[in-house]
């Protein structure tokens, strides 16, 4: 089951990011900034009236001229059309309807995608109420006046957004295929990797259009196991996009990651590890997916007997927030180590679905506490009463304690390390929920 994608579109300075942050601060549960991941957040998991969705902000473009504004607006709108299920089109009541609004409205109307027209900066309905009617001229239905700054009208707008969701969440056909998303910056070799895998395995079931717009699914059979590789490449197909290309690619990456079981993050060995790589890998990490970091074009760099070790150390430093990730050095051109990908995928799938008996978990926790005393604060010491596993993909554990505030991140990581030492959990994140005794009696 995939989440509905809601994209926020609009020209610069209409308040897209402010609206995004207003929703994130009140209505949705957004993952906190993870060390090593850029703070330039443009997506978040959201929920409104028990409807879960992924909110994507296409803002952040500040071009110099009106001509460039229109060009970038067209790019944003086209990406929203391709990727989103519902589009929030943000306008500005204070500037009124401008030419750029008309042009994008025309694109959105022709797309036949559901569009919710948001008129922002309505700080006073008494003052600006009549000005909202001008936006009917865009031909996109009823405009919703909101004030992102003052948190006015946002609930009514979201009520309209969720009306356009499917009555039942879209479910993919159940099968045994493992879904693997290839993610990474443009030109790191995602399509080349797919082509090489196809050439090596000689067995292709089908090439089908991805269910999440503009991703291509390729089904491969290897040793009797079905795999669906989701290729997010092809961003340049709709015209040359020179600015903010990595930012745009995040939109498609979010959609592909949502559908995947495991993500292969491709890095260009000739370019080294960049902030863009960390940003994209962070999407997979925060989504709880299994992760393989594959360094591609390994054949194209000069090496000695220490090169791989030194590069691995750099990877571990850059991706320190996801120490569980598996590393692989490959060449999509020569086929170097490509067959190792399937073995890694199978190992990660086993880790993702592994369940541990409650009794065994509590034995591990008891030994861990005996080896390292829990922290204390102002004379009160943390007590860990009980641990149980409540889910998989990712493996999820609930720990009951006497005081959640005393359960520091570092001690949770210590417990995680003890569990990993005993059971591996290679390539998959582990999620912990900390509850005080008496909470969650359903466990």
């Amino acid at each position: 089951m995939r989440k509905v994608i809601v994209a926020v579109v609009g020209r610069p300075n209409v308040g897209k990011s402010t609206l995004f942050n207003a929703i994130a601060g009140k209505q949705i549960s957004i993952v906190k900034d993870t060390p090593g991941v850029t703070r330039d957040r443009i997506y978040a998991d959201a929920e409104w009236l028990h409807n879960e969705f992924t909110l994507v902000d296409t803002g952040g473009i500040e071009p110099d001229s009106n001509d460039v504004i229109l060009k970038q607006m067209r790019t944003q709108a086209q990406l929203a059309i391709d990727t989103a299920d519902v589009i929030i089109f943000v306008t500005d009541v204070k500037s009124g309807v401008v030419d750029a609004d008309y042009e994008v409205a025309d694109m959105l109307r022709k797309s036949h995608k559901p569009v919710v027209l948001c008129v922002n900066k309505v700080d006073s309905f008494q003052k600006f109420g009549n000005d909202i009617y001008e936006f009917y001229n865009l031909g996109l239905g009823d405009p919703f006046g909101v004030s992102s700054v003052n948190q006015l009208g946002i609930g009514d707008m979201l009520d309209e957004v969720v009306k356009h969701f499917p009555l039942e969440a879209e479910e993919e056909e159940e099968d045994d295929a493992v879904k693997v998303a290839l993610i990474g910056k443009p030109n790191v070799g995602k399509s080349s990797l797919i082509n090489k895998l196809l050439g090596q395995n000689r067995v292709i079931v089908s090439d089908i259009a991805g269910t999440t717009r503009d991703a291509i699914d390729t089904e491969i059979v290897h040793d009797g196991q079905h795999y669906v590789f989701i290729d997010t490449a092809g961003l340049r197909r709709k015209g040359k996009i020179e600015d903010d290309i990595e930012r745009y690619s995040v939109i498609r990456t979010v959609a592909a990651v949502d559908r995947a079981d495991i993500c292969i993050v491709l890095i260009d060995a000739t370019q080294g590890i960049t902030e863009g790589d960390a940003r994209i890998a962070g999407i997979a990490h925060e989504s709880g997916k299994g992760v393989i970091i594959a360094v591609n074009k390994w054949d194209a760099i000069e090496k000695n007997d220490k090169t791989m070790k030194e590069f691995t150390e750099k990877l571990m430093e850059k991706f320190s927030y996801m120490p569980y990730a598996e590393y692989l050095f490959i060449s999509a051109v020569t086929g170097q180590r490509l067959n190792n990908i399937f073995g890694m995928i199978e190992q990660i799938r086993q880790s993702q679905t592994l369940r541990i008996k409650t009794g065994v978990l509590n034995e591990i926790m008891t030994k861990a506490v005996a080896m390292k005393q829990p922290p204390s604060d102002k004379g009160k010491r943390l007590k860990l009463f009980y641990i149980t596993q409540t889910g998989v993909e990712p493996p999820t554990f609930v720990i009951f304690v006497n005081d959640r505030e005393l359960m520091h991140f570092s001690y949770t990581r210590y417990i995680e390390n003890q569990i990993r030492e005993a059971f591996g959990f290679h390539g998959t994140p582990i999620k912990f929920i900390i509850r005080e005794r008496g909470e969650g009696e359903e466990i």
Side-chain angles (χ1 to χ4, degrees):
M1 182 183 298
R2 70 174 186 87
K3 288 182 182 175
V4 174
I5 295 176
V6 178
V8 181
V9 174
R11 57 189 168 83
N13 302 319
V14 295
K16 295 187 300 296
S17 295
T18 306
L19 176 64
F20 179 92
N21 291 333
I23 297 172
K26 295 295 180 183
Q27 278 83 27
I28 71 176
S29 176
I30 182 168
V31 180
K32 294 180 181 179
D33 284 318
T34 304
V37 183
T38 176
R39 292 174 180 266
D40 184 22
R41 318 282 282 167
I42 70 164
Y43 67 94
D45 289 332
E47 183 178 344
W48 183 255
L49 302 178
H50 306 293
N51 295 279
E52 294 185 355
F53 60 98
T54 297
L55 184 68
V56 178
D57 176 18
T58 60
I61 301 170
E62 298 295 339
D64 298 323
S65 71
N66 288 334
D67 289 340
V68 178
I69 287 176
L70 289 174
K71 175 184 175 183
Q72 298 285 16
M73 282 283 289
R74 282 191 289 268
T75 300
Q76 284 192 26
Q78 190 60 59
L79 282 165
I81 289 169
D82 291 343
T83 310
D85 299 286
V86 182
I87 300 163
I88 299 176
F89 181 27
V90 185
T91 56
D92 182 348
V93 73
K94 294 181 179 178
S95 63
V97 181
V98 301
D99 289 343
D101 293 330
Y102 279 114
E103 179 155 348
V104 176
D106 189 50
M107 291 177 63
L108 295 176
R109 192 167 49 251
K110 290 177 180 177
S111 75
H112 303 295
K113 288 283 185 76
V115 178
V116 175
L117 178 57
C118 170
V119 183
N120 197 20
K121 304 184 183 179
V122 183
D123 301 326
S124 166
F125 283 91
Q126 184 175 0
K127 181 178 180 180
F128 296 106
N130 291 332
D131 296 332
I132 296 174
Y133 293 108
E134 177 188 359
F135 291 85
Y136 276 104
N137 292 323
L138 293 173
L140 293 173
D142 294 334
F144 288 80
V146 308
S147 172
S148 300
V149 172
N150 296 323
Q151 310 271 318
L152 299 174
I154 295 176
D156 290 339
M157 184 196 67
L158 289 175
D159 286 346
E160 181 66 19
V161 169
V162 300
K163 285 180 183 178
H164 296 287
F165 288 7
L167 292 179
E168 294 183 2
E170 194 176 305
E171 294 191 27
E172 298 180 6
E173 293 182 8
E174 287 196 18
D175 55 36
D176 295 329
V178 180
K179 296 177 179 61
V180 182
L182 298 180
I183 61 176
K185 297 183 303 180
N187 301 319
V188 294
K190 296 187 287 291
S191 296
S192 298
L193 176 57
I194 287 285
N195 292 335
K196 194 67 176 181
L197 289 173
L198 286 173
Q200 284 191 347
N201 287 275
R202 304 292 181 188
V203 179
I204 174 171
V205 177
S206 61
D207 278 333
I208 54 177
T211 56
T212 307
R213 270 66 72 185
D214 209 44
I216 302 300
D217 289 4
T218 302
E219 199 165 329
I220 296 176
V221 177
H222 178 82
D223 288 345
Q225 173 64 52
H226 287 242
Y227 301 87
V228 174
F229 284 85
I230 306 165
D231 178 10
T232 57
L235 185 59
R236 297 181 189 271
R237 257 189 330 185
K238 296 185 183 301
K240 295 179 180 178
I241 304 170
E242 297 175 357
D243 300 323
D244 292 313
I245 190 165
E246 288 181 18
R247 184 183 183 89
Y248 288 134
S249 68
V250 170
I251 300 172
R252 290 175 183 167
T253 299
V254 169
V257 167
D258 182 55
R259 296 171 52 215
D261 301 307
I262 294 169
C263 297
I264 299 179
V265 183
L266 261 69
I267 293 175
D268 188 334
T270 63
Q271 294 183 5
I273 312 161
T274 68
E275 289 300 322
D277 296 322
R279 178 188 301 119
I280 290 170
I283 296 171
H285 168 69
E286 292 172 356
S287 298
K289 307 296 183 177
V291 176
I292 297 172
I293 297 177
V295 182
N296 192 25
K297 307 182 185 179
W298 193 242
D299 59 310
I301 63 170
E302 294 184 9
K303 295 179 283 293
N304 57 40
D305 59 347
K306 297 180 180 179
T307 305
M308 186 179 292
K309 180 177 181 294
E310 292 171 351
F311 206 107
T312 301
E313 290 173 352
K314 292 178 181 178
L315 289 169
M316 294 176 70
E317 180 180 357
K318 192 68 174 181
F319 300 106
S320 59
Y321 59 91
M322 47 194 305
Y324 56 86
E326 295 289 305
Y327 299 121
L328 190 60
F329 295 82
I330 63 173
S331 169
V333 173
T334 67
Q336 184 181 19
R337 301 189 186 90
L338 289 196
N339 270 332
N340 292 352
I341 287 175
F342 296 101
M344 260 186 195
I345 290 171
E346 287 307 306
Q347 183 183 45
I348 293 173
R349 284 302 289 160
Q350 291 177 16
S351 295
Q352 287 178 312
T353 56
L354 179 62
R355 288 188 178 273
I356 306 173
K357 292 182 179 180
T358 299
V360 176
L361 279 172
N362 282 277
E363 285 181 14
I364 293 172
M365 189 175 74
T366 299
K367 291 179 181 178
V369 170
M371 290 189 293
K372 183 176 180 179
Q373 194 174 49
S376 62
D377 184 40
K378 297 178 182 178
K380 185 177 183 180
R381 186 168 298 282
L382 172 69
K383 293 182 181 179
L384 284 71
F385 298 119
Y386 186 74
I387 182 173
T388 187
Q389 184 174 358
T390 59
V392 295
E393 298 186 76
T396 302
F397 302 90
V398 175
I399 301 178
F400 288 89
V401 300
N402 62 328
D403 188 339
R404 276 180 295 185
E405 296 299 319
L406 293 175
M407 189 68 171
H408 300 159
F409 169 80
S410 59
Y411 203 77
T412 304
R413 176 59 61 88
Y414 166 68
I415 297 296
E416 175 182 343
N417 289 339
Q418 299 304 305
I419 293 174
R420 285 189 183 278
E421 186 176 328
F423 295 98
F425 286 112
H426 300 287
T428 182
I430 294 177
K431 180 180 178 181
F432 285 91
I433 300 170
I434 310 302
R435 288 181 176 158
E436 292 182 8
R437 189 162 63 177
E439 292 182 321
E441 295 301 329
E442 75 277 4
I443 297 300

